[in-house]
Amino acid sequence: MVELKTDRQIDEMRAAGRVVAHALAAVREAARTGVSLLDLDRVAHEVLREAGASSPFLGYRPQFAPVPFPAVVCASVNDAIVHGIPDGYRLRDGDLISIDCGAELGGWVGDAAVSFTVGRPRPADLRLIEAAEAALAAGIAAAVPGNRIGDIAHAIGTVGRAAGYGIPDGFGGHGVGRGMHEDPGVPNEGRPGRGMKLRPGMVLAIEPMLIAGGTDDYRCDGDGWTLRTLDGSRAAHAEHTVAITDEGPRVLTSP
């Protein structure tokens, strides 16, 4: 079931989205060589605490997970695609890291992710991140009333495939509102003109994930959460929470 949000409710979701944006900016600023993933989680946790927000990630346990998620951010390094659990790993020069963060404020959730490099970047990593951001922008541009979920999926997939990257099957975006994961699902590849029609008041987390090696294959770590590329190549993830309005897509997790 899809809950359509009022203009006032979307404004309230924007407040949660700003907290997410601030947390991601703070984590990115703190992410330097030698800093641990647990350090980055603490940075995000402090931003949420100061804003009076809570984390929809912390303690979250979907059906596939053997244990509740133990952190407020997902920190996925190099060949980790998504859902990386922050631990004592210390960032190294040239690492590619994706940070996914959520915030719940006033009963509403915001959810966003960003990928970036630490220290001296590899040109191939910069191209991968640029493609993920371009795929996200294309998906957002397609999030207008009268289009369908398949139009968003097709826009994302077209950009990713044209750049030669893989797209992990079965993982993509989702509705967001009072909960972090709501209907409908938003695939990262699909056929235009198919799927649920987009209506004003729908709010979606749009989140392309791209694999540098060109394969779509992935595996799950023994922690039951972290997804990694099967070929060991690097991955990038970009995400925004987006409201569909009569005036066009409204990004709720922008800075």
Side-chain angles (χ1 to χ4, degrees), residues 92-197:
R92 300 170 183 172
D93 187 54
D95 277 346
L96 190 165
I97 182 169
S98 300
I99 299 291
D100 192 351
C101 183
E104 183 174 352
L105 184 68
W108 297 102
V109 173
D111 185 11
V114 62
S115 294
F116 54 91
T117 58
V118 177
R120 292 168 293 183
R122 300 181 182 184
D125 288 345
L126 296 180
R127 290 192 296 269
L128 176 63
I129 294 169
E130 183 179 9
E133 293 174 347
L136 174 59
I140 292 171
V144 296
N147 271 359
R148 294 183 178 271
I149 291 292
D151 294 306
I152 298 175
H154 179 71
I156 292 170
T158 297
V159 172
R161 295 298 187 191
Y165 298 123
I167 299 173
D169 184 44
F171 288 87
H174 48 87
V176 62
R178 297 194 182 276
M180 182 169 58
H181 290 119
E182 298 183 352
D183 291 332
V186 186
N188 284 330
E189 196 165 28
R191 298 176 63 183
R194 300 295 182 93
M196 182 179 292
K197 183 174 285 189

Side-chain angles (χ1 to χ4, degrees), residues 2 8 31 33 47 82-83 113 121 142 164 176 206 212 233 241 248 250:
V2 176
R8 179 175 178 178
T33 303
V47 172
V82 287
H83 302 164
V176 62
I206 300 173
S233 65
T241 296
R250 181 182 178 189

